[in-house]
Amino acid sequence: MKPSPHPSSGPERPVPALPALPGRRGFLGGLLATAALAAAGPALATPARAAARPAPAPAPRATRPLLLGTYTSEAGGGTGIGTAAYDTATGAITPGPVITGVDNPSYLALHPSGSTVYAVAEQEAGAVTAVRLAPDGAYEVLGSRPSGGSGTTHLSVHPSGRWLLSANYGSGSVAVHPIAEDGALGERTDLVTHSSPPPGPGQGGPHAHQIVTAPDGGHVLAVDLGTDTVYTYALDESAGTLTEVSRAALAPGSGPRHLAFHPGGRSAYLACELDNTLVVCAYDPATGALTPGPGQSTGTGSGTSYPAQPVVTGDGAYVYLANRGPNSLTRYAVEDDGAALRLLDTVPVGGDWPRQLALSPDGSLLFAANQRSSTVTVFRVGPDGSLTVVGDPFPAPVAVCVLPLP
């Protein structure tokens, strides 16, 4: 797979006491992680206001599981999916064993049942792997299936729990695999390559970076950094095939990377890593059409911020954005029922190159996976959406994905 010229494809800086991190996501290695399992926290309500929210009642102190994605193919890297446990009261993370037998698991997704986790194999011969989880912390690798492309970088489970969707960055394609009742994966049912429009400035081809189901459940959106386009597909839930129904063009050279939907289902927020913007998009559930608005500032000043991923609070009141260049998180207030954002502030992430963010199931904690510093930082989310660091960064070699489980 030829490296792409954008920053997540290029050479990674070495970090003290770790090997240099070359290559797109480097196909790097590493992970220190953990296992423990517990019950889910309460979901948040859904008003979409920027005003301060009432502080939630203190939840009973508990320990919940955390999974960590990494790269395993580099010297000094990890050996699989890291497992850990976090304290819901303090945010403190305790390391656990590693789920071995999984190559380059740089992105993870949980089945709606909570019993199976899926991992990409981000390498030349891309693949997706299923791992069964048990309440006692045991696990079983159920096997892998070829993704049909190279550099598989993202995956998600359809809300029905019957289909696994994956995005191949290197080959610019998206794939569908059936999920059996036991969580195992079947043979691929579809593979769609983004052959048009032509690649954007500086791109050698399409680079599918994310694939996710819209809140309406009937449409699947694929974000392609190489073609500066978001494709909307209808998923045939009987055959497991994708039919394109719409596409949204972003500014040439903007490099759309990841989007997150507002819980209201009519707005989405799209991080564009090459032009340092966050784009508010209108979404039509009836047609699947996504309509991008103008790019908005990341609040990081001059220089390239390389925004990686937005996340939305469960009540739709705030959006957070990871900025890899300045190593910061931007906080936005959501207004107009999700159709507008107001930039509030930025805070240091406390690590280097924040690749991915995740909120705890109850929304009280925010986790940031910092690739170059090989750490995970934890923030407490205040009633006003403010972020406060809790504890010291947790060491997790080449941390590129963090997945708190219910």
Side-chain angles (χ1 to χ4, degrees), residues 2 23 26 37 52 57 66 83 95 98 128 148 150 159 178 187 196 206 208 216 270 276 300 321 363 381 387:
K2 295 182 180 179
L37 297 156
L66 192 72
T83 71
V98 173
V128 288
S150 63
E187 292 290 345
S196 67
D216 60 75
L270 178 61
N276 312 319
T300 54
L321 178 68
V381 180
L387 299 175

Side-chain angles (χ1 to χ4, degrees), residues 248-265:
L250 279 298
S254 58
R257 178 184 174 95
H258 271 223
L259 64 76
F261 276 94
H262 184 272

Side-chain angles (χ1 to χ4, degrees), residues 213-382:
T213 305
D216 60 75
H219 295 101
V220 171
L221 282 76
V223 181
D224 196 298
L225 188 150
T227 62
D228 297 317
T229 301
V230 179
Y231 303 83
T232 299
Y233 297 97
L235 173 67
D236 184 325
E237 293 189 45
S238 298
T241 54
L242 299 171
T243 301
E244 184 180 332
V245 296
S246 181
R247 62 177 63 175
L250 279 298
S254 58
R257 178 184 174 95
H258 271 223
L259 64 76
F261 276 94
H262 184 272
R266 292 187 173 275
S267 300
Y269 313 106
L270 178 61
C272 293
E273 72 169 75
L274 299 184
D275 70 357
N276 312 319
T277 60
L278 184 66
V279 177
V280 179
C281 305
Y283 176 72
D284 183 349
T287 64
L290 191 76
T291 305
Q296 301 193 22
S297 170
T298 60
T300 54
S302 60
T304 305
S305 62
Y306 303 126
Q309 181 208 6
V311 294
V312 187
T313 56
D315 61 1
Y318 297 95
V319 172
Y320 305 107
L321 178 68
N323 302 296
R324 289 168 294 170
N327 293 320
S328 67
L329 304 179
T330 303
R331 178 175 62 122
Y332 300 87
V334 177
E335 300 178 333
D336 195 16
D337 293 327
L341 295 180
R342 176 166 51 88
L343 194 154
L344 296 176
D345 56 20
T346 63
V347 298
V349 75
D352 191 0
W353 210 247
R355 168 78 169 269
Q356 188 256 350
L357 303 177
L359 287 159
S360 61
D362 66 0
S364 65
L365 298 171
L366 178 73
F367 300 88
N370 303 305
Q371 181 174 349
R372 290 179 175 170
S373 59
S374 292
T375 57
V376 174
T377 46
V378 185
F379 296 83
R380 185 163 302 285
V381 180

Side-chain angles (χ1 to χ4, degrees), residues 120-139:
V120 301
E122 190 178 338
Q123 53 200 20
E124 184 62 31
V128 288
T129 300
V131 180
R132 182 184 292 128
L133 306 172
D136 62 0
Y139 66 86

Side-chain angles (χ1 to χ4, degrees), residues 63-84:
T63 298
R64 292 180 179 166
L66 192 72
L67 299 181
L68 296 158
T70 185
Y71 294 105
T72 63
S73 58
E74 292 295 313
T79 56
I81 299 171
T83 71

Side-chain angles (χ1 to χ4, degrees), residues 106-129:
S106 64
Y107 201 87
L108 310 170
L110 186 67
H111 191 276
S113 69
S115 61
T116 310
V117 69
Y118 300 92
V120 301
E122 190 178 338
Q123 53 200 20
E124 184 62 31
V128 288
T129 300

Side-chain angles (χ1 to χ4, degrees), residues 100 104 324:
T100 58
N104 292 312
R324 289 168 294 170

